[in-house]
Amino acid sequence: AAILAIALGAAVLAAPPRAAAQATAPWTVLVYLNGDAPAGYADAAVRIFNELEQVGSTKSVNCVVQWARPSQPDVLGALFPLGDQNWYSTRRYLVIADPNQAGVNGSPDGQATNTAGFEISSPPLVDLGVLDMGNPTNLVNFFQWTQARFPAQHYALVLSGQGKAYQGMLVDKSTVPSSTDPNLPGYLTDVGLQNAMTQIKTLNGGNNIDALI
């Protein structure tokens, strides 16, 4: 996540911040962020979003996130049990720069005592309810939605979530059980990812996106 924030920051250096997308930007970075996962990844997803807010979106780069959070409170929900910081669903954001995430404290790494460093400043654009982030259709829908609202000359897609070794990624504990094991949550298989990227290529005028991370 830190590498992503540094790369995003380098791409937008000296570009003024903004909260709304322009007609066509040089870049749109799509972050598919699944915090609705086992093994503590929910807290990691909060820190990733905090780090993205260190940079935010600019005239040069749209940073758009689809973020799923779990039903049981993550670190953000524990710190802010009341109000809009504590929610359980899947939301989409255009990330804006947050002064509390300017790198002056260690909050994104869970070290600072200043809880404002955890708070999310970017307003949600849409709440989709509970989605299966391991379903390739939802990944394609995210790209299609983002492309229509934040068109760009270049696209980068970041997939962030718990992995499943050689079997796949984006384990989603709120989804229906896996088709291969009813005792396990679903996830995005390699074949599912391949199918999703084929559909995204079609949506992108027959061109592959510029980066898949």
Side-chain angles (χ1 to χ4, degrees), residues 64-134:
V64 185
V65 178
Q66 179 167 309
W67 181 16
R69 288 174 67 189
S71 57
Q72 297 178 345
D74 50 26
V75 63
L76 187 61
L79 287 171
F80 303 97
L82 303 176
D84 196 50
Q85 296 292 312
N86 188 19
W87 49 269
Y88 162 49
S89 62
T90 305
R91 293 182 172 184
R92 289 173 179 163
Y93 293 84
L94 176 68
V95 180
I96 62 173
D98 178 1
N100 289 315
Q101 305 297 345
V104 297
N105 61 59
S107 293
D109 295 323
Q111 301 299 320
T113 57
N114 177 16
T115 58
F118 287 95
E119 193 167 4
I120 301 302
S121 294
S122 304
L125 301 181
V126 62
D127 191 316
L128 303 168
V130 178
L131 286 185
D132 177 5
M133 294 286 280

Side-chain angles (χ1 to χ4, degrees), residues 42-66:
D43 290 347
V46 173
R47 292 192 292 270
I48 289 170
F49 202 103
N50 290 156
E51 291 175 351
L52 292 173
E53 286 195 329
Q54 291 182 16
V55 179
S57 300
T58 72
K59 290 182 178 179
S60 300
V61 178
N62 302 308
C63 181
V64 185
V65 178
Q66 179 167 309

Side-chain angles (χ1 to χ4, degrees), residues 107-202:
S107 293
D109 295 323
Q111 301 299 320
T113 57
N114 177 16
T115 58
F118 287 95
E119 193 167 4
I120 301 302
S121 294
S122 304
L125 301 181
V126 62
D127 191 316
L128 303 168
V130 178
L131 286 185
D132 177 5
M133 294 286 280
N135 187 326
T137 298
N138 291 326
L139 176 58
V140 174
N141 289 344
F142 175 46
F143 179 85
Q144 186 174 28
W145 181 91
T146 301
Q147 185 186 45
R149 287 157 182 78
F150 304 100
Q153 298 170 13
H154 305 280
Y155 294 96
L157 174 61
V158 180
L159 304 178
S160 182
Q162 183 176 340
K164 197 169 174 61
Y166 66 91
Q167 294 175 294
M169 63 185 73
L170 298 171
V171 177
D172 191 312
K173 68 178 184 180
S174 292
T175 188
V176 295
S178 166
S179 60
T180 57
D181 188 338
N183 297 313
L184 295 176
Y187 57 93
L188 180 63
T189 65
D190 293 342
V191 173
L193 177 59
Q194 182 178 5
N195 291 339
M197 297 310 299
T198 298
Q199 294 179 63
I200 287 173
K201 178 178 180 179
T202 300

